[in-house]
Amino acid sequence: MTMILANILIGVTVSLGVIFILVTAIGLIRLPDIYCRTHAASKSATLGVMFILLGVFLHFWLIEGIVNTRIILGIVFLFITGPVGGHVIGRSAYLSGVKMWDQSVKDELAPVIAERKKLDEQK
Amino acid sequence: MKTNDVILQTTTKLIFFIIILFSIHIFFAGHYAPGGGFVGGLLTASGIVLLLLAYDIKTVSTALPINYTVMTAIGLLVALATAAGSIIFNVPFFTHAFDYFDLPLLGKQSLHTAMLFDTGVYLVVVGVTMTIIQSIGADD
């Protein structure tokens, strides 16, 4: 009975992870500009891989009886680095002048960067 | 224009220690599990490369004042000395030995001379990788 419950838990977590990664892939194709795409890629891919790793951890723990701390470390590592990767990609794209989607309504970073550039010219 | 990298730098400070700890784990696990000197050395080098990406080359060389060329030479010497040490005991070159010891805190562990050879490999891999990257990266 506990084996069936464990298998259901593992199946659900791994399936959820795969669904999140599928959503990421669809988002990468469907979304209009790089900022929306990094939004899709960094958030839901991180969550998807974390769910899959959690499923793997549960499988080895509940079925095989091995506690593999490297998977926990991997989950923590991905949780920290995935969003930061998305942030760095988006920021470098903005600073190198990639245009936003033409229906975007707000650009709060533009005045800050214009002010910085003006300060640089004065020096 | 000077850019603001505070998120990248703060994350690097945190992530660097995880990478270094994992590389040490891989280095020591090499005898019984996948890993060893080569992968451990590459992981350590990639941790230092992450520091180089987040900060500039001067900050990193003040934080880690290591001459990587000397490090490579020490690694080669350690590997050669481990291999040559077997000649003293009148056995063929490169013969390894091991025994079990009761260490304080760690309990019964087997210490193997292959570990010393792996240390040499580790130092050479870190030294060579960092020499290549620093000499390509330094343009002044």
Side-chain angles (χ1 to χ4, degrees), chain A residues 101-117:
Chain A
W101 185 30
D102 52 7
Q103 289 180 37
S104 316
V105 287
K106 227 174 193 180
D107 188 358
E108 288 180 333
L109 194 54
V112 180
I113 286 183
E115 201 177 317
R116 281 280 187 86
K117 275 190 177 154

Side-chain angles (χ1 to χ4, degrees), chain A residues 70 73 76-77 80-81 84 87-88 91 95 112-114 116-117 120, chain B residues 1-5 7-8 11 14-15 18-19 22 25-26 33-34:
Chain A
R70 271 178 284 181
L73 193 70
V76 173
F77 190 83
I80 299 171
T81 52
V84 174
H87 161 81
V88 171
R91 190 175 173 83
L95 290 178
V112 180
I113 286 183
R116 281 280 187 86
K117 275 190 177 154
D120 278 359
Chain B
M1 192 181 77
K2 202 166 173 296
T3 51
N4 183 1
D5 295 335
I7 292 180
L8 184 61
T11 318
L14 197 66
I15 287 300
I18 298 181
I19 296 176
F22 189 57
H25 164 77
I26 282 223

Side-chain angles (χ1 to χ4, degrees), chain A:
Chain A
M1 186 63 200
T2 47
M3 210 60 149
I4 297 169
L5 279 177
N7 273 323
I8 289 172
L9 191 64
I10 293 158
V12 166
T13 31
V14 173
S15 312
L16 256 178
V18 172
I19 288 168
F20 270 115
I21 288 179
L22 184 70
V23 167
T24 310
I26 295 170
L28 283 180
I29 298 169
R30 294 282 299 162
L31 289 176
D33 68 349
I34 185 167
Y35 307 106
C36 299
R37 282 178 187 161
T38 52
H39 166 81
S42 63
K43 280 188 184 65
S44 86
T46 309
L47 199 61
V49 178
M50 278 167 65
F51 264 119
I52 290 178
L53 282 177
L54 187 68
V56 172
F57 176 75
L58 287 176
H59 172 79
F60 276 100
W61 184 33
L62 298 174
I63 309 283
E64 317 252 338
I66 305 166
V67 177
N68 195 337
T69 45
R70 271 178 284 181
I71 301 177
I72 300 284
L73 193 70
I75 292 174
V76 173
F77 190 83
L78 265 170
F79 185 63
I80 299 171
T81 52
V84 174
H87 161 81
V88 171
I89 292 171
R91 190 175 173 83
S92 54
Y94 191 91
L95 290 178
S96 56
V98 176
K99 287 273 179 298
M100 285 168 117
W101 185 30
D102 52 7
Q103 289 180 37
S104 316
V105 287
K106 227 174 193 180
D107 188 358
E108 288 180 333
L109 194 54
V112 180
I113 286 183
E115 201 177 317
R116 281 280 187 86
K117 275 190 177 154
K118 210 185 278 172
L119 278 175
D120 278 359
E121 279 165 16
Q122 281 171 0
K123 271 177 192 169

Side-chain angles (χ1 to χ4, degrees), chain B residues 61-78:
Chain B
S61 55
T62 18
L64 299 169
I66 303 166
N67 188 340
Y68 292 106
T69 328
V70 175
M71 197 172 174
T72 313
I74 291 173
L76 281 173
L77 273 179
V78 167

Side-chain angles (χ1 to χ4, degrees), chain B residues 19-93:
Chain B
I19 296 176
I20 294 296
L21 273 181
F22 189 57
S23 80
I24 292 169
H25 164 77
I26 282 223
F27 172 67
F28 279 113
H31 199 71
Y32 295 112
F38 187 75
V39 192
L42 275 183
L43 257 175
T44 308
S46 65
I48 303 172
V49 169
L50 180 65
L51 278 187
L52 281 172
L53 281 176
Y55 299 91
D56 52 354
I57 206 160
K58 236 175 221 165
T59 320
V60 176
S61 55
T62 18
L64 299 169
I66 303 166
N67 188 340
Y68 292 106
T69 328
V70 175
M71 197 172 174
T72 313
I74 291 173
L76 281 173
L77 273 179
V78 167
L80 193 65
T82 316
S86 58
I87 295 176
I88 301 171
F89 301 101
N90 211 9
V91 283
F93 188 64

Side-chain angles (χ1 to χ4, degrees), chain B residues 97-120:
Chain B
F98 74 98
D99 204 354
Y100 291 97
F101 293 94
D102 255 331
L103 300 176
L105 242 68
L106 295 171
K108 191 184 171 196
Q109 296 283 335
S110 72
L111 296 181
H112 202 295
T113 50
M115 203 69 217
L116 291 174
F117 185 75
D118 235 18
T119 313

